[in-house]
């Protein structure tokens, strides 16, 4: 990945704590709303799903597309951000 | 019919399997019961042994219908599976599933469905190809192998231990067929000009089911697909077992004669393959993974090993004339000695690297400059002088310059006075002595 967004850097740069799901890179307000409706209200819940899928980016991307209607770029961005967060803090 | 006096129902399951493989019959699912094997045995082998080749097409059509039935039986609706079953089914397809919980289940179901679909396509392809004709087995196989490789693109084989440079060198070299290498093979020119990559994907991708059985091959997406595409041509994903191999060899040696009659073309084709330099390696691969095409003709291959050795050696001497041939086929070049390391004499002097114009310019400038130690010395001297002057100016009590200036006028008078006094004293002394 050549460049990362500011949101990505902000998320990866520190522990996620109690951040909302919208703090995840690639997930804006609309996708965040959809995820919240399904119970994924915090970023750590999404992280839990990511970990349940064994940090498999492909599977996670697919899940995110199904669950929130994200496009490939958004889902990929979110997966990358979670993976890098895991590399840094897990 | 008189060829087989034994009833196939009395055979062991592995024997049945090996027989089926020997006759290029697609094996049913690994877990299917013995009856399925017996049925297949009766249908294919006994009929074949009757020598009725004209009914081959019908056989294949029956086979196709058979396949579809099996297919239907095998594809279960993922929705109805329990979590454990779903996980097991995924594992059969070579996917190591994570925990299957409410939030991940749908995902895994989708994945299983997709895998089953792709497998089904592979099967259909294989059967269609197989139904064309039994005589064109060789062409068919190369087709399928090409299909497999084209499916996988340029497939990288991370799971296969690359055995030696032989395999790789020939894999690249044999892309364009050279007539020189095949001088020893006079059997079929069409086979010789066939693209040889059909052997390599065939041999190597089949290594994946073994790994997957042992639970190692996970997260390897293209592995299962390649297996599936090959699975159409009756390369089953059954686990590797030594007893099975031994069993097969026995059955082979017993039925070698009949097979030679039946599959004469196959045997020839096999010989021509075995004449190729990389054959030993590929053959090892295929034996291990129970490819139906290579294994039955093992014994003729071993018998023919000696005479086919000559052309092999020639080509190798051409290619690796500067290397010693080793029994394992691996060759290693000596490492270039490190320049003068650890007190060793310098055996290889690296050529002087051409200098860039900037460094040349810098060198020119440096040549004109005063050396650095002289600069430092001069600096220290100057600093000392300055300090001394400073101290002298500051310290009024010891100021030679000021004192010198002050004492210029009175100094001359007092000196003259002193001189006069000394002269007076001298004269007084002289006069006193006289």
């Amino acid at each position: 990945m050549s460049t990362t967004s500011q949101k990505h850097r902000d998320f990866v740069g520190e522990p996620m704590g109690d951040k909302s799901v919208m703090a995840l890179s690639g997930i804006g307000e609309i996708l965040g709303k959809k995820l919240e409706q399904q119970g994924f209200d915090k970023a750590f819940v999404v992280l839990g799903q990511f970990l349940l899928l064994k940090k498999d980016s492909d599977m996670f991307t697919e899940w995110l597309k199904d669950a929130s209607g994200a496009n490939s770029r958004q889902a990929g961005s979110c997966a990358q951000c979670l993976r890098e967060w895991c590399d840094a803090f897990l | 019919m008189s060829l087989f006096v034994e009833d196939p129902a009395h055979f062991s399951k592995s024997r049945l399997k090996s027989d089926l493989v020997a006759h290029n019959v697609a094996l049913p699912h690994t877990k299917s019961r013995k009856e399925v094997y017996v049925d297949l045995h009766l249908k294919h082998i006994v009929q074949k042994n009757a020598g009725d080749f004209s009914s081959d097409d019908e056989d294949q059509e029956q086979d196709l219908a058979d396949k579809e039935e099996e297919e239907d039986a095998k594809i279960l609706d993922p929705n109805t599976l329990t979590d454990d079953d779903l996980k097991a089914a995924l594992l059969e397809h070579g996917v190591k599933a994570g925990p299957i919980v409410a939030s991940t289940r749908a995902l895994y179901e989708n994945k299983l469905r997709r895998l089953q679909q792709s497998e089904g396509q592979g099967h259909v392809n294989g059967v269609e190809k197989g139904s064309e004709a039994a005589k064109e087995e060789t062409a068919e196989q190369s087709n399928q192998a090409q299909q497999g490789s084209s499916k996988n693109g340029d497939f990288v084989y991370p799971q296969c231990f690359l055995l030696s440079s032989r395999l790789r060198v020939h894999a690249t070299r044999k892309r364009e067929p050279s007539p020189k290498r095949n001088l020893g093979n006079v059997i079929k020119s069409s086979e010789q000009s066939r693209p040889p990559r059909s052997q390599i994907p065939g041999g190597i991708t089949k290594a994946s089911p073994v790994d997957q059985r042992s639970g190692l091959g996970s997260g390897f997406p293209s592995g299962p697909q390649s297996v599936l595409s090959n699975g159409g041509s009756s390369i089953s994903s059954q686990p590797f077992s030594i007893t099975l191999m031994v069993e097969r060899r026995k059955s082979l040696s017993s039925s070698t004669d009949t097979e030679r009659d039946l599959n004469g073309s196959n045997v020839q084709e096999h010989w021509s393959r075995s004449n190729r330099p990389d054959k030993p390696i590929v053959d090892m691969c295929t034996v291990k993974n129970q490819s139906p095409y290579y294994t039955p003709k093992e014994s003729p291959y071993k018998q023919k090993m000696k005479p086919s050795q000559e052309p092999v050696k020639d080509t190798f001497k051409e290619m690796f004339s500067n290397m010693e041939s080793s029994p394992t086929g691996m060759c290693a070049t000596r490492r270039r000695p490190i320049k003068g390391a650890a007190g060793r004499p310098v055996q290889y002097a690296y050529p002087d690297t051409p200098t860039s114009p900037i460094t040349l310019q810098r060198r020119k400038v440096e040549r004109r400059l005063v050396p650095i130690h002289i600069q430092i010395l001069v600096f220290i001297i100057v600093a000392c002088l300055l300090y001394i002057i400073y101290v002298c100016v500051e310290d009024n009590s010891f100021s030679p310059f000021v004192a010198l200036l002050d004492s210029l006028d009175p100094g001359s008078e007092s000196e003259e006075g002193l001189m006069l006094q000394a002269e007076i004293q001298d004269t007084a002394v002289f006069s006193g002595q006289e």
Side-chain angles (χ1 to χ4, degrees):
Chain A
M1 199 62 77
S2 55
T3 56
T4 52
S5 64
Q6 180 62 40
K7 212 172 164 185
H8 175 100
R9 269 174 275 141
D10 287 347
F11 188 82
V12 173
E14 58 186 9
M16 68 174 73
D18 214 20
K19 281 183 189 170
S20 144
V21 70
M22 292 174 208
L24 280 164
S25 144
I27 294 188
E29 266 191 39
I30 297 164
L31 296 181
K33 284 266 161 55
K34 278 186 192 163
L35 281 174
E36 275 175 16
Q37 280 168 8
Q38 298 176 46
F40 294 92
D41 54 345
K42 300 285 184 194
F44 59 77
V45 189
V46 180
L47 175 70
Q49 177 72 5
F50 181 67
L51 295 180
L52 266 181
L53 295 172
K54 296 190 159 190
K55 299 196 219 169
D56 187 339
S57 291
D58 293 339
M59 292 283 277
F60 178 78
T61 309
E62 204 177 311
W63 169 79
L64 196 61
K65 282 195 235 170
D66 278 352
S68 67
N71 61 29
S72 294
R73 188 179 53 79
Q74 289 163 330
S77 164
C78 185
Q80 193 204 356
C81 136
L82 280 175
R83 198 178 53 239
E84 283 181 21
W85 189 93
C86 286
D87 289 344
F89 294 103
L90 211 59
Chain B
M1 283 298 183
S2 59
L3 280 172
F4 273 74
V5 285
E6 304 147 289
D7 187 1
H10 294 157
F11 288 176
S12 72
K13 200 170 164 182
S14 53
R15 168 78 191 270
L16 286 170
K17 257 193 215 169
S18 56
D19 275 358
L20 288 175
V21 168
H23 289 268
N24 297 335
V25 177
L27 280 182
H29 194 249
T30 326
K31 283 177 187 167
S32 38
R33 291 186 303 172
K34 191 183 169 184
E35 281 82 2
V36 183
Y37 286 105
V38 173
D39 279 349
L40 281 172
H41 194 278
L42 280 171
K43 194 177 292 170
H44 297 285
I45 296 169
V46 176
Q47 284 183 12
K48 248 189 191 171
N49 281 327
D52 192 7
F53 276 97
S54 61
S55 69
D56 256 354
D57 292 340
E58 292 170 21
D59 266 1
Q60 298 287 354
E61 280 169 16
Q62 280 179 5
D63 196 13
L64 193 136
D66 230 27
K67 266 279 171 53
E68 279 173 352
E69 283 172 20
E70 281 169 24
E71 197 70 20
D72 290 342
K74 209 165 74 181
I75 290 190
L76 301 165
D77 191 11
N79 292 327
T80 61
L81 291 169
T82 64
D83 286 353
D84 285 342
D85 287 345
L86 185 59
K87 196 164 184 175
L90 279 169
L91 203 63
E92 255 171 39
H93 290 279
V95 177
K96 247 178 140 184
I100 296 180
V101 296
S103 62
T104 58
R105 186 179 166 116
L107 209 53
Y108 283 121
E109 279 174 4
N110 278 339
K111 187 153 193 167
L112 181 60
R113 216 169 279 139
R114 225 176 308 131
L115 281 171
Q116 280 174 342
Q117 276 173 6
S118 64
E119 189 188 30
Q121 283 171 1
H123 268 289
V124 168
N125 279 346
V127 173
E128 277 172 357
K129 291 257 190 257
S131 70
E132 287 183 5
K135 299 168 242 158
E136 298 169 11
E137 273 167 355
T138 56
E140 173 214 335
Q141 200 201 349
S142 69
N143 274 349
Q144 283 193 345
Q146 277 172 351
Q147 219 179 30
S149 56
S150 66
K151 244 182 201 173
N152 300 326
D154 267 342
F155 185 60
V156 189
Y157 313 105
Q159 286 184 341
C160 180
F161 37 91
L162 287 179
L163 286 153
S164 73
S165 59
R166 278 190 205 185
L167 187 57
R168 269 174 284 159
V169 168
H170 280 268
T172 51
R173 264 195 61 168
K174 286 171 73 180
R175 296 278 156 105
E176 68 273 19
S178 78
K180 194 167 68 177
R181 194 183 309 115
N182 295 321
L183 279 177
N185 311 333
V186 287
I187 300 165
K188 279 188 184 177
S189 58
S190 63
E191 280 171 15
Q192 286 164 359
S193 63
R194 188 177 43 168
R197 54 192 301 196
S198 64
Q199 292 180 8
I200 291 127
I204 293 170
T205 51
K206 277 169 230 147
S208 42
V210 179
D211 284 350
Q212 281 155 10
R213 291 289 147 182
S214 58
L216 292 173
S218 73
F220 182 51
S222 51
Q225 282 161 13
S226 67
V227 172
L228 297 180
S229 65
N230 281 330
S233 61
S234 82
I235 298 159
S236 74
S237 57
Q238 55 173 304
F240 165 70
S241 80
I242 293 177
T243 56
L244 212 61
M245 268 176 62
V246 173
E247 192 80 21
R248 180 173 307 159
R249 276 188 203 192
K250 266 194 235 159
S251 72
L252 280 173
S253 56
S254 68
S255 63
T256 309
D257 292 339
T258 54
E259 264 177 17
R260 273 192 198 172
D261 294 338
L262 289 173
N263 305 328
S265 62
N266 261 351
V267 175
Q268 280 189 339
E269 179 234 342
H270 184 75
W271 287 354
S272 73
R273 280 186 185 169
S274 69
N275 285 340
R276 294 184 181 158
D278 59 336
K279 188 54 204 165
I281 299 142
V282 175
D283 204 55
M284 270 164 60
C285 264
T286 51
V287 167
K288 195 174 153 195
N289 297 296
Q290 305 177 354
S291 156
Y293 287 99
Y294 304 140
T295 42
K297 276 68 86 176
E298 209 164 40
S299 39
Y301 162 63
K302 290 220 168 122
Q303 288 161 5
K304 280 281 161 179
M305 188 70 186
K306 282 275 161 69
S308 69
Q309 205 70 357
E310 273 310 304
V312 172
K313 287 223 163 158
D314 285 346
T315 50
F316 265 97
K317 273 174 190 160
E318 276 173 34
M319 287 176 60
F320 304 110
S321 55
N322 52 346
M323 291 181 191
E324 290 180 25
S325 63
S326 66
T328 54
M330 293 186 225
C331 47
T333 52
R334 196 159 148 258
R335 189 175 62 115
R336 180 183 279 181
I338 297 168
K339 189 180 177 183
R344 281 187 292 254
V346 178
Q347 293 184 353
Y348 175 81
Y350 286 91
D352 284 335
T353 52
T355 47
S356 66
I358 295 173
T359 45
L360 282 174
Q361 219 172 8
R362 204 179 293 150
R363 273 183 205 167
K364 244 183 234 169
V365 173
E366 275 171 2
R367 225 170 285 145
R368 282 184 208 149
L369 287 176
V370 187
I372 190 82
H373 55 274
I374 291 179
Q375 286 180 8
I376 290 173
L377 195 70
V378 167
F379 173 75
I380 289 173
I381 288 170
V382 169
C384 283
L385 273 177
L386 284 174
Y387 179 73
I388 287 169
I389 289 170
Y390 168 76
V391 165
C392 291
V393 170
E394 278 295 299
D395 199 352
N396 284 327
S397 63
F398 177 68
S399 52
F401 299 101
V402 178
L404 202 70
L405 289 174
D406 285 344
S407 64
L408 273 181
D409 298 338
S412 56
E413 288 170 14
S414 61
E415 272 177 13
E416 283 172 4
L418 281 172
M419 294 261 297
L420 285 173
Q421 281 175 1
E423 279 176 11
I424 292 162
Q425 279 172 358
D426 280 348
T427 51
V429 168
F430 278 118
S431 60
Q433 279 176 348
E434 287 174 356

